[in-house]
Amino acid sequence: MTPSRQAAAAAVIRTAAIAVAALSLVALAPLGRAGSAAAQEVTLTVHHFLSAKAVTQAEFLEPWAARLEEASEGRLAFEFFPSMAMGGAPPELYQQARDGVADIIWTVLGYTPGVFPRASVFNLPSVHGGSATVTNLAIRDLMDSGALAADFADVHPLLVHVHSGQALHTTAVPVRTIDDVRGLKLRVPSRSGTWMIEAMGAEPVSMPVPELPQALSRGVLDGAFIPFEVARPLRVIDIACCHTELAGGQRFGTTTFLLAMNKDRYESLPDDLRAILDAHTGPDFAREAGRIWDTVEPQVMDMARQRGNEIIRLSPAASAPFLEAFQVAEDRWLAEAAERGLDGAAVLAAAKAAVARHADEAPE
């Protein structure tokens, strides 16, 4: 090759090298944001036991996921699997989150008895703050203080929350006194619910809530303790004749729910995505969950009235024997906590104090 051609070739090589370097700089410049975003996009599976139309997914989880997707500029995405679409039975959801079968699950603490001995205090009818908002914020206080941390060591809890409280829905017997309950077969919402029902002289029957409509229709059950919010998607308001609550609208306790993420999956997220997730699972999230459930409850009660169902609110005198059953459940919870070596009295006192602190946030 002649010197002139060698020079020309060298110039071409230098030009090409400069172009490659320039392209490399262009490619590297966004790696702190868009380039890494493409490499760090995360789709999280969300598994639960209710239908896609239930309040849990349609009004609670989907809007939450949309906010996270927006805050992460599309780097976080969510794929929902309602009605146990990923397989298994509702009592297996906690294990699925723990073992990584699903990234995120929403479940009932009572489906895995004994796993949440501290947090189960919020199932007690004597603890429930009369609204989901009040009780959710009380739970959040105890979560933030670490009082409940040992219960959730094997997963990453995103939210522990309750619904607005359980009314008693019966298919044939209007419940106006505790005598009306005696001998009835009633679906039990939790272990402490079993104690409450037994103290009322009724027969507790344990089953996941999706099985409830068929059990009521076939007479396997005479009634169930669930909120109206759940009674709507399960069509219990179409099956039941009557719905009972206590004086002042007090309910028969509540059910405590868990929105949890597989621990390894959470810890594998990039730091900035973990920060976004954390920012959207704080006290405001607990407050919003409470508002959603507290808003839906009276709406479904109106639907039941429009169907001609009877809404029964007991007098203080008629409520008193039920409150005695509440105390029996509390005493048994304390005894069981002591058998486990837990200071149940301290947990119970902390829960009641937290509920009292947030009492002014109850809906009017």
Side-chain angles (χ1 to χ4, degrees):
M1 182 180 295
T2 65
S4 61
R5 288 187 176 180
Q6 288 177 341
V12 170
I13 291 171
R14 283 196 301 273
T15 302
I18 292 169
V20 169
L23 287 172
S24 297
L25 290 173
V26 171
L28 287 170
L31 281 181
R33 187 175 178 81
S36 62
Q40 296 175 350
E41 288 177 355
V42 176
T43 298
L44 300 174
T45 56
V46 183
H47 197 201
H48 65 88
F49 58 85
L50 292 179
S51 77
K53 295 181 179 180
V55 168
T56 297
Q57 179 168 324
E59 300 184 36
F60 173 49
L61 292 177
E62 286 184 359
W64 170 71
R67 291 194 300 272
L68 282 164
E69 290 176 4
E70 181 179 3
S72 66
E73 298 182 351
R75 292 172 56 202
L76 278 174
F78 297 83
E79 188 173 3
F80 287 90
F81 293 87
S83 304
M84 300 306 299
M86 292 181 70
E92 298 172 40
L93 282 164
Y94 169 73
Q95 289 90 334
Q96 289 182 355
R98 183 193 63 195
D99 300 340
V101 175
D103 295 324
I104 295 173
I105 59 88
W106 180 83
T107 190
V108 174
L109 296 192
Y111 284 173
T112 47
V115 175
F116 307 102
R118 299 162 185 82
S120 66
V121 71
F122 285 99
N123 288 334
L124 292 172
S126 57
V127 172
H128 181 48
S131 88
T133 303
V134 169
T135 307
N136 285 359
L137 292 170
I139 294 172
R140 185 73 205 189
D141 284 357
L142 269 62
M143 293 291 286
D144 289 344
S145 72
L148 308 179
D151 285 3
F152 305 99
D154 293 334
V155 295
H156 178 74
L158 300 169
L159 180 68
V160 181
H161 73 102
V162 299
H163 54 52
S164 295
Q166 292 149 173
L168 174 55
H169 311 265
T170 50
T171 55
V173 178
V175 174
R176 295 187 174 86
T177 71
I178 200 165
D179 290 335
D180 296 327
V181 171
R182 301 190 194 284
L184 296 184
K185 293 174 289 184
L186 303 175
R187 185 256 179 181
V188 55
S190 63
R191 183 165 174 76
S192 56
T194 297
W195 303 330
M196 176 186 73
I197 292 171
E198 288 176 345
M200 293 176 182
E203 179 182 345
V205 180
S206 179
M207 68 175 60
V209 73
E211 299 174 16
L212 189 55
Q214 187 175 51
L216 290 170
S217 296
R218 293 185 173 183
V220 174
L221 292 175
D222 299 304
F225 289 100
I226 57 171
F228 280 89
E229 164 265 322
V230 173
R232 178 181 64 174
L234 294 180
R235 304 190 69 82
V236 170
I237 60 173
D238 299 331
I239 302 168
C241 73
C242 310
H243 316 273
T244 302
E245 54 185 11
L246 301 175
Q250 184 176 359
R251 296 292 178 84
F252 299 86
T254 189
T255 297
T256 310
F257 301 96
L258 171 65
L259 181 68
M261 187 171 180
N262 174 262
K263 201 168 187 178
D264 291 339
R265 185 67 159 140
Y266 171 77
E267 293 174 353
S268 72
L269 293 177
D271 290 346
D272 61 336
L273 291 186
R274 277 205 310 273
I276 290 171
L277 189 60
D278 293 345
H280 287 76
T281 52
D284 287 344
F285 189 38
R287 185 177 284 104
E288 181 195 8
R291 179 191 58 76
I292 290 169
W293 265 264
D294 287 339
T295 299
V296 168
E297 198 70 4
Q299 294 173 354
V300 183
M301 291 178 72
D302 285 342
M303 293 178 188
R305 290 188 185 94
Q306 291 167 14
R307 287 191 53 78
N309 296 4
E310 185 177 6
I311 308 292
I312 302 168
R313 178 170 288 186
L314 301 183
S315 67
S319 298
F322 290 100
L323 299 181
E324 292 174 8
F326 289 4
Q327 186 60 51
V328 170
E330 182 177 301
D331 292 343
R332 291 187 65 172
W333 185 88
L334 287 168
E336 189 171 88
E339 291 173 4
R340 290 174 168 271
L342 300 178
D343 188 350
V347 175
L348 179 62
K352 288 184 175 182
V355 166
R357 261 194 315 275
H358 293 286
D360 61 347
E361 297 210 39
E364 295 182 359

